[in-house]
Amino acid sequence: MMVESASETIRSAPSGQNGVGSLSAQADGGGGAGTAGTAPAAGRDASGREAASGADSNGEMSPAELLHFQQQQALQVARQFLLQQASSLNSPGNNDSKQSASAVQVPVSVAMMSQQMLTPQQMQQILSPPQLQALLQQQQALMLQQLQEYYKKQQEQLHLQLLSQQQAGKQQPKEALGNKQLAFQQQLLQMQQLQQQHLLNLQRQGLVSLQPSQASGPLQALPQAAVCPTDLPQLWKGEGAPGQPAEDGGRQEGLDLASPAATATSFASPPKVSPPLSHHPLPNGQPTVLTSRRDSSSHEETPSSHPLYGHGECKWPGCETLCEDLGQFIKHLNTEHALDDRSTAQCRVQMQVVQQLEIQLAKESERLQAMMAHLHMRPSEPKPFSQPLNPVPGSSSFSKVTVSADPFPDGLVHPPTSAAAPVTPLRPPGLGSASLHGGGPARRRSNDKFCSPISSELAQNHEFYKNADVRPPFTYASLIRQAILETPDRQLTLNEIYNWFTRMFAYFRRNTATWKNAVRHNLSLHKCFVRVENVKGAVWTVDEREYQKRRPPKMTGSPTLVKNMISGLSYGALNASYQAALAESSFPLLSSPGMLNPGSASSLLPLSQDDMGAPGEPLPSNGSSSPPRLSPPQYSHQIQVKEEPAEAEEDRRPGPPLGAPNPSTVGPPEDRDLEEDLAGEDMS
DNA sequence: GACATCGTAAACACGT
DNA sequence: CACGTGTTTACGATGT
């Protein structure tokens, strides 16, 4: 019977994770939403392109509209890019196939957000500065490219129409023809002004300017660049040609650089995207281009230099004309590389090059992420994590060997999804990347010491732990305590504790044998866990004083620990709640690391305080609700009535337990020692 | 290197 | 007998 019920509950644990289930389902749903989100985005994009082509064919879209559209489209692309980034980051090594955009799981938040309109600020929050940079540049590049394509088509079309009309115009009334030609020419002019403005804008943002050396330098360094370096010259030469046909007056006018273009205002939007970049000191973003562009050679230092001029020669792609000085170069630039079709075409090619490089960069970044994930997170073997690997009982020594060999012998294998997830998208809670899986199983304790933040940390990241197959950085003891304290009654049966573990941590959903054993072991071993016989069985409670007692020793000397803790928390978890907790909590450790010698600590802690400190966490401390009976603070103690041994006595010294089974009440204040002694004696 | 803490494995007892 | 629950011991890893 018991057995059945027990196993039932355990089995229901997974299903009992229904509660969790809903959450993990959320996550899954998130993934689904992510993929689903991709589709719509693509759809929009596609439709956008259709619209574009429609505009092309009709030639009826005004430049302003076009711009707006282009920006929208760029945003879509950005969104897609975001999704890809997220998904690729999410999926560790598995997806070499770059098609990560497909069905990988996307963090819920990202997926959800990306489904709606993302403001630059939002994107900024989601993406790291480098990513933002790349994204923005890609966006700009795309806009420019599309603009230019559009311009080109328009021009060609206009020329065609012009030609045909000139021929046909012989028979037509001169006025009509003149009007139409005028209209065409005006349109053309307008377009070219737009184009010019756009180019200037981009140049101002440093996007265009970086082109020159890109073609020759960095590109070759990239092995798999889609554009083969050797192709570039041909590209340049070849691209120059198409521009040539347009040689008539219309273009001449368009080339006029002098036109200050009142249209400038319409371009206000693109630049506004850039501001966010400025305050990112990160070396990665802009630099990906800028730094690579300049080999820190001559022109870096001289502010008077020109990005297209270096080493005494023109860096315009495919040019390499030697120029004595900057002035000569400027002259050369204005004459040879004026804003004409050829230059535009070359610019376009450069855009493509940049795009390719960016894609390449993205791929390489992805690879890097995967590598880091692999190295940091321990081997992410493609094992199906569904199967709990059961430690074969019987080969104890053997298993131990394996343990030492493999940092995480147990279930740590990650499903392709979760492994990388922690790396970036979802903040692996209190752990810096380094400390993440520091090493074997035991390492978590480092975090544990600061222990109580566990609650806030958990509160902050419980979503993460729920879904990510990451071992929580807390000791079993602290976890158990947390589980117990989270309940209104502050008591749990063993089974409920199990359930809590599985509910709260994906990691504990498998490999049950080991951690359950560990839980039992901890419950029995630590004095801070008190077993209370209940009508319906036995429940476990926490003796906060005991719990507090055992910590001090460790923490004492290591400010680094505190620092780590804080930094770790600050990562994602440091928030108001934590700070508040820190502030109000009587937690001696946190508030003043100095006063921790066990003796004083324990003595200093009257129950009330103790209680406060214990729940260094928000929830229970507010005792307002929970305490049905007795003085709020006391639970743990009173309940702890537990068994006969001397243990009981000391804790309740502050407040006598209930009338219940309290045997040897009288415990000298320092029983603590006695207890331990007793424990030792008992053992022997 | 000693010590403390922690995690893991395992043996054992007991109750259902 | 099987299983869950508890207790205890042992060992290895890690940090101080």
Side-chain angles (χ1 to χ4, degrees), chain A residues 11 26 65 86 102 115 254 343 345 379 472 509 557 597 631 645 667 673:
Chain A
R11 215 158 290 140
Q26 261 185 355
E65 288 172 338
S102 53
Q115 271 193 312
S343 299
R509 274 167 221 157
N597 62 43
S631 52
D673 302 338

Side-chain angles (χ1 to χ4, degrees), chain A residues 45 72 150 235 294 303 344 416 448 492 626 655:
Chain A
D45 193 30
Q72 291 262 351
Y150 173 73
L235 266 178
R294 246 330 45 86
T344 303
D448 154 50
L492 284 178
S626 42

